Amino acid sequence: MRHCLTRGALVFAALCRCGPAAAAGLDQVRIYTDDDPPYVMVSPDGQVMGGTTVEKVSRVMRKLGLPFSAMQAVPWARAYQEAKTRPFAMVFPIAKTKERQKFLDFTFKILDSDVYFYHLASRADIRLRDLDDARKYRVCVVLGDYRHEYLESEGFQKLEVTPDSTLNVKKLVNGRCDLLPSTETGMASKLKALGLERDKVARGIKLDKLDSALYAAFNKETPPDVIARFKAAAAEVP
């Protein structure tokens, strides 16, 4: 009997030392994101500094007792791959597509956004009425990004693929591609970071068939109770 009590006391003490996150299995959670101002801002040495989507995710982490070190900035293709293939892995910000729903649970919404095609304001020759018009042009996209997936599914053949969204804005303003799909917030922020005025580019048609809300999403093989804890925490924080 004494051995049973001692063993039970040791287990209880271990849980107390580990804290609520470890006791609930949340200590296995790893959260991946990439440098994408203003949604995610990463320092030159690779540390997540903040951003409009980081704020919501950070509040959820604090609610659950998770350390900020559980969040890691990596290239987007790796962030997505980790979440697709590894239980307990979360990726954000990410848009919902049919293909992604095969692998991911879209655990909570972070924000809504609309996506438009942008082009240089000086390009009076670019006139867009619909996607058919846009297919004629070179389009900058980020590898594995939801806009990349969407445009491929719509038969776009002239996609200029890079690993970085800010690099795409540089390519656009330097004439190395003709169109760039972006939110207004994302485009304005990247132009400002590059020291360029907003009127350098013009906004074209809205990609109105594209669901562009941004989420935090878990690998579907993550234990349901872990996902449920994140959903509940997200519902309780602004």
Side-chain angles (χ1 to χ4, degrees), residues 71-130:
M71 184 186 298
Q72 182 180 359
V74 297
W76 171 252
R78 180 187 163 194
Y80 181 39
Q81 185 66 16
E82 290 282 351
K84 279 179 63 176
T85 59
R86 195 172 71 78
F88 290 96
M90 169 182 275
V91 61
F92 84 96
I94 186 168
K96 187 187 298 184
T97 67
K98 289 182 179 179
E99 178 65 21
R100 291 173 176 181
Q101 289 180 80
K102 297 175 185 177
F103 312 102
L104 302 176
D105 175 273
F106 285 78
T107 306
F108 60 89
K109 184 186 288 189
I110 304 174
L111 57 84
D112 289 303
S113 60
D114 294 321
V115 174
Y116 300 84
F117 275 126
Y118 290 83
H119 59 83
L120 283 174
S122 59
R123 291 287 303 274
D125 58 303
I126 297 179
R127 297 184 180 182
L128 304 179
R129 294 167 299 177
D130 51 34

Side-chain angles (χ1 to χ4, degrees), residues 211-229:
D211 179 0
S212 52
L214 299 177
Y215 295 81
F218 263 116
N219 177 280
K220 269 194 170 180
E221 299 303 314
T222 301
D225 60 319
V226 171
I227 293 176
R229 291 283 301 277

Side-chain angles (χ1 to χ4, degrees), residues 122-140:
S122 59
R123 291 287 303 274
D125 58 303
I126 297 179
R127 297 184 180 182
L128 304 179
R129 294 167 299 177
D130 51 34
L131 290 184
D132 283 337
D133 289 337
R135 287 188 185 93
K136 299 180 294 186
Y137 298 100
R138 299 168 299 163
V139 183
C140 284

